[in-house]
Amino acid sequence: MSTFQQPDLSDRPARLTVGVVGAGRVGPALAASLQLAGHRPVAASGVSEASRRRAEALLPGVPLVPPAEVLRRADLVLLTVPDDALPGLVTGLAETGAVRPGQLLVHTSGRYGTGVLDPALRAGALPLALHPAMTFTGTPVDVQRLAGCSFGVTAPEELRLAAEALVIEMGGEPEWIAEENRPLYHAALALGANHLVTLVAQSMELLRTAGVEAPDRMLGPLLGAALDNALRSGDAALTGPVARGDAGTVAAHVTELRRHAPQAVDGYLAMARATADRALAHGLLKPELAEDLLGVLANGTHTSENGEDR
């Protein structure tokens, strides 16, 4: 459980008007969190009906206006658009004169640092990259989940205190990421969080196919324990047939997956190979058992218990 506590009111910086460009799942939640800290959301932009509903739920009464108008009204602007759209958005806002000198411009992309905001920087904006390491639902529960959430922060030296203050006010904990390390940082998060959802969804589908009526109830305690063990112990928490070198069991898995869920075979083999490599490197998988196992994983063929093809 996080021990994070909100700072005392007397420690908070001057209140800011807040705007959101891109009312997806992230922007309204961050703006709502800043509102709880005493800042004032004044405008948001959103095109889709889903964006409009999210803005109304999390920022009731805040008008939806075009992006340039958001910048005109706000001291602090959250740019919460998809990664691929961010460079074009920043360039367009800067070229049209929407950016004001002294305006805090904050993007929430994990991929980019502050370099993507250079066009706005040349127009006088103050650039910050604040990426919450959290998955968002687009509902009010997101605001609660920010408590104790780590933020990947990149900022110019002179803005580090401002960046830190904003993250703390949202209930988060700043983790400083160098500009050149942003893509690697983001890849690490995607590998863990995004791929986890895929793995869990596939596992639930296979359990249903095997006749399990409540796969979520079955997986919940198991996955919770596995995650806790992994965070505490790293590779030492590896268990299961790959780490044990049970080539016959792994081969049987591949056979069943080919029969019932061929779309899951490539993912199973790739993750099993990665698990075998890590288990070998950390002395968990015995070298004398690894050869048969790696043969199964390389060929995707079924073997007998003594390792012979059949």
Side-chain angles (χ1 to χ4, degrees), residues 49-124:
E49 183 60 33
S51 295
R52 293 175 180 274
R53 288 197 301 268
R54 278 190 291 266
E56 178 60 31
L58 288 162
L59 303 171
V62 173
L64 288 172
V65 298
E69 181 65 15
V70 174
L71 270 69
R72 191 186 71 80
R73 299 186 185 192
D75 303 316
L76 164 64
V77 179
L78 301 171
L79 303 179
T80 53
V81 298
D83 289 357
D84 287 351
L86 183 60
L89 172 67
V90 174
T91 298
L93 291 172
E95 289 179 347
T96 58
V99 179
R100 292 187 283 109
Q103 190 170 47
L104 280 166
L105 214 56
V106 179
H107 79 71
T108 59
S109 166
R111 170 185 171 186
Y112 292 109
T114 56
V116 72
L117 298 174
D118 280 351
L121 174 64
R122 292 190 290 271

Side-chain angles (χ1 to χ4, degrees), residues 231-244:
L231 292 175
R232 292 174 182 272
S233 305
D235 288 302
L238 284 171
T239 62
V242 173
R244 291 192 299 267

Side-chain angles (χ1 to χ4, degrees), residues 15-60:
R15 304 302 87 195
L16 299 168
T17 53
V18 178
V20 179
V21 176
R25 296 183 180 186
V26 178
L30 297 188
S33 183
L34 288 168
Q35 186 174 34
L36 290 176
H39 300 290
R40 184 164 61 92
V42 293
S45 69
V47 177
S48 70
E49 183 60 33
S51 295
R52 293 175 180 274
R53 288 197 301 268
R54 278 190 291 266
E56 178 60 31
L58 288 162
L59 303 171

Side-chain angles (χ1 to χ4, degrees), residues 250 254 257-258 264-275 296-301:
V250 172
V254 175
L257 289 174
R258 290 196 188 283
V265 172
D266 288 345
Y268 178 94
L269 291 172
M271 290 303 299
R273 291 186 195 106
T275 300
V296 170
L297 298 178
N299 301 318
T301 56

Side-chain angles (χ1 to χ4, degrees), residues 41-309:
V42 293
S45 69
V47 177
S48 70
E49 183 60 33
S51 295
R52 293 175 180 274
R53 288 197 301 268
R54 278 190 291 266
E56 178 60 31
L58 288 162
L59 303 171
V62 173
L64 288 172
V65 298
E69 181 65 15
V70 174
L71 270 69
R72 191 186 71 80
R73 299 186 185 192
D75 303 316
L76 164 64
V77 179
L78 301 171
L79 303 179
T80 53
V81 298
D83 289 357
D84 287 351
L86 183 60
L89 172 67
V90 174
T91 298
L93 291 172
E95 289 179 347
T96 58
V99 179
R100 292 187 283 109
Q103 190 170 47
L104 280 166
L105 214 56
V106 179
H107 79 71
T108 59
S109 166
R111 170 185 171 186
Y112 292 109
T114 56
V116 72
L117 298 174
D118 280 351
L121 174 64
R122 292 190 290 271
L126 305 177
L128 300 175
L130 308 180
H131 174 253
M134 177 55 62
T135 183
F136 288 80
T137 65
T139 66
V141 71
D142 295 332
V143 180
Q144 302 170 24
R145 287 179 174 173
L146 289 173
C149 167
S150 291
F151 279 65
V153 179
T154 304
E157 186 64 34
E158 62 272 19
L159 293 177
R160 284 173 67 97
L161 289 178
E164 185 176 60
L166 287 171
V167 169
I168 290 173
E169 285 200 319
M170 287 186 281
E173 300 177 359
E175 185 73 39
W176 298 97
I177 309 295
E179 179 85 16
E180 64 273 16
N181 289 337
R182 292 289 292 204
L184 178 61
Y185 151 79
H186 195 226
L189 294 180
L191 185 66
N194 302 156
H195 296 175
L196 177 63
V197 174
T198 301
L199 290 171
V200 172
Q202 285 186 335
S203 181
M204 290 177 65
E205 289 174 355
L206 292 169
L207 286 172
R208 289 191 189 96
T209 302
V212 175
E213 293 185 1
D216 53 341
R217 189 168 66 236
M218 177 175 283
L219 284 174
L222 173 64
L223 297 185
L227 177 60
D228 184 64
N229 290 343
L231 292 175
R232 292 174 182 272
S233 305
D235 288 302
L238 284 171
T239 62
V242 173
R244 291 192 299 267
D246 291 340
T249 298
V250 172
H253 289 176
V254 175
T255 297
E256 289 303 299
L257 289 174
R258 290 196 188 283
R259 179 178 302 152
H260 296 288
Q263 73 280 3
V265 172
D266 288 345
Y268 178 94
L269 291 172
M271 290 303 299
R273 291 186 195 106
T275 300
D277 289 343
R278 300 189 75 88
L280 266 173
H282 289 80
L284 301 173
L285 174 58
K286 297 178 181 179
E288 60 269 24
L289 297 176
E291 184 176 356
D292 285 345
L293 174 67
L294 294 176
V296 170
L297 298 178
N299 301 318
T301 56
H302 192 76
T303 65
S304 65
E305 291 185 2
N306 64 8
E308 296 174 353
D309 290 339

